[in-house]
Amino acid sequence: MIIEISWDYTEDILWIYNDEKEWLSEGFPLIDDDEVLLKLQEEIDDLYSTFYEFESHGEQVWFNKPKMKENKQKMLDLLKKLNDRINELNDGTFIVEDLETPYWENI
Amino acid sequence: MYTSPKIRGHYCMCKGKSWELDNSLGQIKGTLFEPSDEDVLIDPELVLELKKKGVKFTEEDLLFVTRDSSGEIVFLEKGNPGAGLEHIINGTEDSGNHKNKFKDKLNLEKEDIGIAIYKFIKEDNIINVKPSKDNGKNVIYCLNNKYLHIVIASNGFIVTAYPASNDEIERLIQ
C-alpha cells in the first residue's frame, strides 16, 4: 500500500493507493480515523488555501509565491509532523510517497 | 432563448471551436458521457452574462459554460497546472494528478473528463454541498451511481474535480 502526500484545493492531503498505484477510495481507517493526522491535515489545508488568489494578476487562480516563501518553514514543520505521525502509525503495511516536502524545500 | 435547431447548431460550432483546440485536453469521445444533440456546451448568452458581471475568464479557453441548479453560472476552462481541466488531468508538481482516479473509479480516459464534468452538473443530482475557503463550494454530484466532487470558485470557475471516495459517500448517505 502507498500513501501519497499531495495537496490540492479543498481536497484531502493523504491519498491511498495499492501497490499498483490504483487509488483506493474506500480509505484506510488506520490513517483516516487518526485524530492527530486529521488535525494536521486541517492545519496544512488552512495554510495552503491562503496561497490561492482568485481573479488575481490576470489569472483565474494565482499562486501567491511571495507568501508561500514567507510561510515555507511553517509548512515544512507541519509536513514533518505529518510524516512523523504517519511513521508512528505505520505497522509495515504501507510506504509513503511525499510529493510536498521536496516541493516546499525548493520554494 | 434558443430553438432546438440553433442549440444543435451551436453545439456543433462549440465542438469545433473549443473542444478541439487541444486534442490532448478536450477531445470529445466516449460512451456514457458523450454529449447529446441537446447539450449546449457554450451558450453565448451565458458568456455575455459572465462578461456583464465582470467575471474574468479566457473565452477561447472555455470548454463549457452552463448554469447549475442554483441558477449560478459555472464554467470550465482549459486552465493551467493550478486550476481548470489541465490541472485536473495533469496536476501540479506537488499535487499529483486526478486522471488515474477518474480511470480507477469512473472508468474514464483523460479525453472524457471534461465532458463528464459537464454531464454531472447537468444531471443535477447533488449529494452534498459544502463551502470552500474562497466563498465558493465543493459539490458532490451523482450520475449513474458514480460520484464526483466539483470544486467551484465564487465566480463560477471550476477549480478542480475528482471522484468522491466510497467511505465519504457512505458517511453522507447514513
Side-chain angles (χ1 to χ4, degrees), chain A residues 1 3 14 16 28-38 40-41 81-96:
Chain A
M1 194 174 293
I3 295 181
L14 299 178
I16 299 167
F28 186 41
L30 181 66
I31 294 297
D32 294 341
D33 298 340
D34 184 75
E35 293 294 331
V36 177
L37 279 182
L38 289 171
L40 282 168
Q41 289 180 80
K81 287 180 185 176
L82 187 79
N83 273 286
D84 288 348
R85 181 59 182 166
I86 292 171
N87 287 331
E88 283 175 14
L89 295 172
N90 195 350
D91 55 3
T93 56
F94 57 84
I95 60 170
V96 179

Side-chain angles (χ1 to χ4, degrees), chain A residues 8 25 45 48 55 60, chain B residues 56 87 94 104 133 155 165:
Chain A
D8 196 359
S25 64
D45 186 48
Y48 220 133
E55 290 200 353
Q60 280 291 353
Chain B
K56 287 188 171 66
H87 166 74
D94 63 323
D104 293 343
K133 293 183 173 66
N155 65 359
S165 65

Side-chain angles (χ1 to χ4, degrees), chain A residues 4-12 15 17 21-28 32-33 42 45-50 52 54-63 65 68 99-101 103-104 106, chain B residues 54-58 75 77 80-83 87 92-98 100-102 104-105 130 132-136 138 151 153-155 157 159-168 171:
Chain A
E4 181 185 279
I5 301 175
S6 63
W7 187 89
D8 196 359
Y9 192 67
T10 79
E11 299 174 17
D12 297 330
W15 300 87
Y17 298 88
K21 205 65 194 286
E22 293 167 332
W23 181 44
L24 300 175
S25 64
E26 61 268 28
F28 186 41
D32 294 341
D33 298 340
E42 191 176 334
D45 186 48
D46 285 345
L47 179 58
Y48 220 133
S49 298
T50 65
Y52 268 65
F54 290 87
E55 290 200 353
S56 178
H57 296 71
E59 296 182 36
Q60 280 291 353
V61 176
W62 179 75
F63 292 99
K65 288 275 185 177
M68 291 173 83
L99 302 183
E100 288 295 340
T101 301
Y103 174 73
W104 278 88
N106 288 316
Chain B
V55 174
K56 287 188 171 66
F57 65 100
T58 308
F75 60 99
E77 283 190 7
N80 57 42
H87 166 74
T92 55
E93 52 193 303
D94 63 323
S95 74
N97 60 64
H98 295 313
N100 293 338
K101 300 179 186 90
F102 276 90
D104 293 343
K105 294 301 165 189
K130 64 179 182 181
S132 61
K133 293 183 173 66
D134 76 310
N135 295 320
N138 186 334
V151 180
S154 57
N155 65 359
F157 172 74
V159 181
T160 188
Y162 55 100
S165 65
N166 297 354
D167 58 333
E168 182 176 21
R171 281 199 301 271

Side-chain angles (χ1 to χ4, degrees), chain B residues 107-173:
Chain B
N107 196 28
L108 283 172
E109 301 296 336
K110 65 177 184 178
E111 294 84 359
D112 303 321
I113 291 173
I115 191 65
I117 294 169
Y118 173 85
K119 289 287 191 181
F120 270 95
I121 292 172
K122 296 309 289 181
E123 180 73 7
D124 190 33
N125 186 359
I126 293 174
I127 303 300
N128 191 51
V129 182
K130 64 179 182 181
S132 61
K133 293 183 173 66
D134 76 310
N135 295 320
K137 55 191 175 184
N138 186 334
V139 186
I140 300 177
Y141 288 92
C142 175
L143 174 61
N144 290 354
N145 294 319
K146 308 284 187 184
Y147 299 91
L148 185 69
H149 279 270
I150 301 179
V151 180
I152 304 168
S154 57
N155 65 359
F157 172 74
I158 294 174
V159 181
T160 188
Y162 55 100
S165 65
N166 297 354
D167 58 333
E168 182 176 21
I169 297 302
E170 283 173 16
R171 281 199 301 271
L172 288 170
I173 290 174

